[in-house]
Every structure is written in structure tokens, then in C-alpha cells.
Amino acid sequence: MTASLPTLDVAIIGGGVAGLATAHYLLARSPGTRLAVIEGSGRVGGNVRTLRHDDCLVDVGPDTLVTQDGASSACDDLGVVAESPSSAAARVHVAHDGRIDPMPEGLVFGVPRSFAAIARTRLLSLPAKLRAACDLVLPNREGDGSLSVVESRLGREAKENLVEPLVSGIYGGELERLDAGVVMPQLAGTRGSLIRALARAPRRIPKMVGPARGMETLVEALACSVSAERIFRARRVVAIERGRSGERLRFGDGSALDATQVVLATPPHAALPLLRPHVPELEGTLKARMRSAIVVVLAYDASTTKLPDGSGILVARKEAHAFVGVTFVHAKWPTRVREGRAVIRAVIDLDRRPDLAQASDDEIVRAVHADLSRHARVDVPLWAHVEHYPEATPIPELGHRARMNEARAQARNAGFSLVGAAYDGAGLAGCLRGARELAEALAGG
Ligand SMILES: Cc1cc2nc3c(=O)[nH]c(=O)nc-3n(C[C@H](O)[C@H](O)[C@H](O)COP(=O)(O)OP(=O)(O)OC[C@H]3O[C@@H](n4cnc5c(N)ncnc54)[C@H](O)[C@@H]3O)c2cc1C
């Protein structure tokens, strides 16, 4: 690749969902745009990875899309058939105090909408239930905007056994440092009872779907719509040089590509080194604590396996488990797993288990199997798959959104665009929405 190639209108750095979707929406709005998606690794999709093995289909990375933000219409438009998780699998258990108990129904991220919802749960002791009920009578108090409000209003046990397993399982990080406005906007600005605030808020249960043939079919459909000749794989951008008429993207082998506009669809830690020389003020804003994870898929002989009912187990922080959560894939997506198999997908958060960062795959598999054996009857796994996700997802800590908005504005002032999970919301639906909005702005500008 040399700079003698015609100058592109738009170069998109990063071929994850955000980068591909930006290209897709931009071409839909403005088909004549000369653009390229430049991906550093040998494959597009970023975090999205679908394992097809032994007649089983397992989304190792993201497996569901929240249908808000037009995510399901994006699937429809691309001809990707989406399905809902099995309703039989709606129930989830929480591992706490050496045992598992079902999460009560009707909670919002583990926070009850009424005292009745937690009156009978075995996840809380009687004193903890009474402590949680104090939420209804405690005086109003200004919070710091973090989810520390959960413990101060509902008590420690409700935080540890109801809210934290779910919220930290999804976002990583500690409740005391997570931004309530990002994770639970219904509670943002609440000074008084959380139970009452949720009871007052419109009851919107986000609908989840997943592409029936795996999340990679969404990536394949996006890539197909963008078309192969516009996607460059295994081309890591190592520098951006500014010229009079645009930007020159420099690759490791010294080759280059010119573009009038540059979109960075990468996490902040990958964007900052490229932008720092041109926008030094980003040093103070374009940073996010990232979560590193390991995902382990284990397949068992279903005839010798006895798992709890429901779709999986979440783990309270004080339980010394390798994984923060495990999904029973055959229960959640029954048509994706061949008869006779029980397939589980466990997520290890390396913040909680830094010791496993250097462990061998065998050691990781053994640790997950041993933890699962505490709550289920499982024989030796028939096969296993281990996938590493270093610095994969931004943790929405207090101030994250404001910092990202500021970074975006600073980058925009210098002529660069930022898109993706760090800026538009941690999930795929946010990435798709952010990509659509950016494409509209680029096409209109
Ligand atoms: C285990 C796991 C489970 C998840 N589950 C869900 C879920 O169920 N639902 C959900 O909505 N979300 C989920 N997520 C989050 C979701 O995966 C992310 O929101 C989404 O994939 C982020 O997409 P992105 O395009 O912003 O970034 P990425 O997917 O990180 O893509 C960025 C791309 O940029 C490339 N890149 C970086 N630097 C350069 C460079 N210098 N030059 C060229 N290319 C570069 C990278 O190689 C990568 O391909 C999950 C994430 C993980 C890790």
C-alpha cells in the first residue's frame, strides 16, 4: 500500500463493529464515498467471535444485542435473522456464601422495585432484608454520582449478593467507582429511596436478541455490505501524519495511505498514541480503565451433567471463584448446541483474578471446571476453548462519559472522529447507534 493510491475521502481505523458499521451507514447515506476500513489484526469483528465446533455454535464474545437504539432494525436491514434467548432460561442463580440461590424476578440490575420482590429471597439474610427496607425511610442524601449509593441505601448484603454480581459481571469494576448515570440512568440524580425511584420510573425491560447463526453473521453482513476491497486486514496504523490537504496513515512497514478525514474506531488506548502529536490535550481526556477478560467454553456430556436450572450463575465478589459468571449456552440458545451436549461459557475478570493472566490454558480450564463442580454435577469436559480479551471493554467509571465527550469534542475540533464502545456505550447497540450518528454527521458535513 503506498501513498500513490488515490486519496480517500474517509479512512476508518479499526474493523470492529463500530468501524464496520460506520462504513456501512456512510455508504448507505453517501454511496460515492471513497472509504476504507483499516484493521490491525488478521480478522474483522474486534471482540465478536463465534465458535463453531462439534455441531455447536457459541458466541465467545458478545452474544446478545439490546434491541433499543435500532440494533434489531440494523439486523433486519442487513438480513441477519435474530432470535430471542429461551424464556425458560430467564432465571439466573447467584453464588454466595458457598451456595447458589436464584435471583428474584423483577429486579432492575439487582435493585428491587418493591420490598415484596426481595421478601422471600434466600440471597439475603433476615437482617439484610430489614436493612434493605430502610431504604424506604432513610433521609435523602446527595450521592457522588457513583453506585456507592446502592450500599448506603440498601445495605452491604444487598449490594454484594444482588447488585454487584450482575453489574460488575457485565461492566467490571467496583460499584463504588461505576457511574450510576451510565449503568442505571433511572437512578441518576436520585437522592432518596432507590426502591421508590425504580417504582416511579417507567418499567422498560430491555429486550435482548442474538443473531441466530452467531454474532459473527452480523459482522459478516456488515463486511459484505461495505465490500471486501474497502477492507484492509492486518494493517495496523502506527502513526498519523498531517499534510496540507489531509492525513497520511503510516503502517509498520513504512507504507502509507492518504485520506481527507480519519475516523478512529478503536479503544482510547489505541487511539491516543495516534492522536497525541496533533491533539496534545487528549492526554488528559482520552483514557479509560479497560477490563481484561478470559472467556472459557467447556462442553460436557449432557447425560452425565446436572446443572442448576436457568441460564447461568453470577458470582458474588467475596466468593473465591475463577469466573464472575457462567452461561449455560444450551439453555439460553437451545437450537445452537447439538443434542447430548451441555455447553457452558464462563467469563473470568482479570481484575478479580490477576493470577490467571499468566496461567496456561489447561490451568484456566481446570480452575473453571473446579468452580463449576461446586454447584453442578459435571464430568471431565469433552472439549474446551479459551479466548483471551486483553483490555477489551471500557469500564464506565465516574466521569467516564464526561471525559469521553470532551475527548470527542477535542478530537473533532482537530478534524478527527472517535466512535465505538468507549464513547457510545459499552455494548454493541451503542456502537451501532454511534456509528449511524457519526455517518450522518460525516455525510451531511
Ligand atoms: C467477553 C465479552 C462479552 C461481551 N458481551 C456483550 C454482549 O453480550 N452484548 C453487547 O452488547 N456487548 C458485549 N460486549 C461488548 C462488545 O463486545 C463491545 O461493545 C464491542 O464489540 C466494541 O466494538 P468496537 O468496534 O467499539 O471495538 P473492538 O471490538 O475493540 O474493535 C476495535 C478494532 O480496532 C482494531 N485496532 C486497534 N488499534 C488499531 C490500529 N492502530 N490500527 C488498525 N486497527 C486497530 C482492533 O484490532 C479491533 O479489531 C462484550 C465484550 C466482551 C469482551
Side-chain angles (χ1 to χ4, degrees):
M1 199 181 301
T2 71
S4 59
L5 279 175
T7 300
L8 296 168
D9 297 320
V10 182
I12 299 167
I13 304 175
V17 166
L20 289 173
T22 303
H24 162 73
Y25 288 122
L26 190 48
L27 288 168
R29 266 300 287 264
S30 180
T33 310
R34 284 168 302 165
L35 66 78
V37 176
I38 298 149
E39 168 54 42
S41 72
R43 56 178 287 283
V44 288
N47 288 332
V48 173
R49 289 170 211 182
T50 303
L51 174 71
R52 295 178 178 94
H53 181 67
D54 182 32
D55 269 346
C56 299
L57 184 150
V58 184
D59 274 317
V60 181
D63 72 337
T64 45
L65 283 160
V66 184
T67 57
Q68 70 202 33
D69 288 342
S72 56
S73 65
C75 288
D76 291 347
D77 295 347
L78 289 158
V80 174
V81 178
E83 62 177 351
S84 302
S86 156
S87 57
R91 185 198 275 261
V92 66
H93 285 79
V94 178
H96 69 107
D97 303 297
R99 61 173 209 263
I100 59 168
D101 282 302
M103 179 75 97
E105 283 171 22
L107 274 53
V108 181
F109 272 119
V111 179
R113 303 176 78 244
S114 68
F115 178 69
I118 52 168
R120 296 169 59 145
T121 180
R122 282 168 41 90
L123 285 169
L124 299 182
S125 63
L126 181 60
K129 286 177 191 173
L130 297 175
R131 172 63 186 84
C134 291
D135 169 68
L136 296 163
V137 294
L138 282 171
N140 288 2
R141 235 185 60 195
E142 202 67 60
D144 63 358
S146 79
L147 283 175
S148 61
V149 66
V150 169
E151 181 169 352
S152 60
R153 300 283 328 175
L154 298 172
R156 189 157 54 86
E157 221 172 288
K159 171 203 140 181
E160 289 177 351
N161 293 353
L162 295 179
V163 182
E164 197 169 51
L166 196 55
V167 172
S168 293
I170 295 174
Y171 292 99
E174 304 78 31
L175 285 200
E176 293 71 23
R177 293 173 66 180
L178 290 180
D179 192 330
V182 176
V183 178
M184 278 196 257
Q186 311 93 313
L187 298 184
T190 303
R191 296 170 64 240
S193 161
L194 303 188
I195 296 176
R196 286 210 180 91
L198 285 185
R200 272 196 309 268
R203 188 154 191 221
R204 263 187 258 115
I205 302 172
K207 192 167 176 272
M208 312 290 263
V209 295
R213 300 305 304 151
M215 200 59 83
E216 271 184 12
T217 58
L218 176 64
V219 169
E220 285 154 13
L222 284 168
C224 181
S225 131
V226 172
S227 90
E229 67 271 18
R230 294 195 182 94
I231 300 173
F232 302 142
R233 293 174 171 81
R235 304 295 297 173
R236 182 160 297 276
V237 178
V238 296
I240 300 175
E241 296 156 10
R242 303 215 90 168
R244 262 200 300 274
S245 57
E247 323 291 344
R248 177 161 289 182
L249 309 190
R250 188 65 70 184
F251 301 97
D253 61 4
S255 63
L257 185 68
D258 289 342
T260 309
Q261 296 212 55
V262 175
V263 172
L264 290 105
T266 67
H269 60 88
L272 183 60
L274 302 177
L275 295 181
R276 188 189 282 121
H278 316 295
V279 198
E281 58 271 31
L282 286 173
E283 192 72 61
T285 53
L286 191 50
K287 50 187 177 194
R289 190 169 149 221
M290 298 295 287
R291 181 193 208 190
S292 296
I294 302 174
V295 178
V296 179
V297 181
L298 297 180
Y300 294 98
D301 179 343
S303 68
T304 57
T305 301
K306 179 93 182 83
L307 295 167
D309 61 350
S311 64
I313 303 171
L314 298 165
V315 180
R317 185 178 287 272
K318 60 178 193 271
E319 291 300 284
H321 279 36
F323 51 77
V324 292
V326 57
T327 305
F328 306 148
V329 181
H330 57 279
K332 187 172 180 184
W333 308 107
T335 59
R336 301 186 186 184
V337 172
R338 65 175 271 193
E339 189 121 349
R341 292 282 179 271
V343 175
I344 67 99
R345 169 185 169 275
V347 177
I348 296 169
D349 183 330
L350 289 176
D351 261 355
R352 284 209 215 169
R353 288 297 302 268
D355 56 305
L356 291 175
Q358 303 305 327
S360 69
D361 283 2
D362 279 352
E363 288 166 332
I364 293 166
V365 165
R366 272 201 298 276
V368 168
H369 175 77
D371 284 347
L372 190 63
S373 310
R374 299 199 214 175
H375 311 294
R377 196 180 74 217
V378 280
D379 217 334
V380 183
L382 299 172
W383 53 264
H385 178 90
V386 178
E387 193 86 41
H388 293 256
Y389 282 95
E391 297 194 288
T393 43
I395 303 173
E397 293 191 326
L398 209 49
H400 170 83
R401 182 174 280 173
R403 225 175 17 255
M404 290 303 113
N405 284 344
E406 199 183 338
R408 221 173 199 177
Q410 290 166 337
R412 198 180 307 120
N413 285 341
F416 299 104
S417 304
L418 298 170
V419 69
Y423 323 99
D424 297 298
L428 292 171
C431 292
L432 290 167
R433 177 184 39 77
R436 200 176 54 241
E437 288 170 2
L438 174 60
E440 276 163 19
L442 291 173

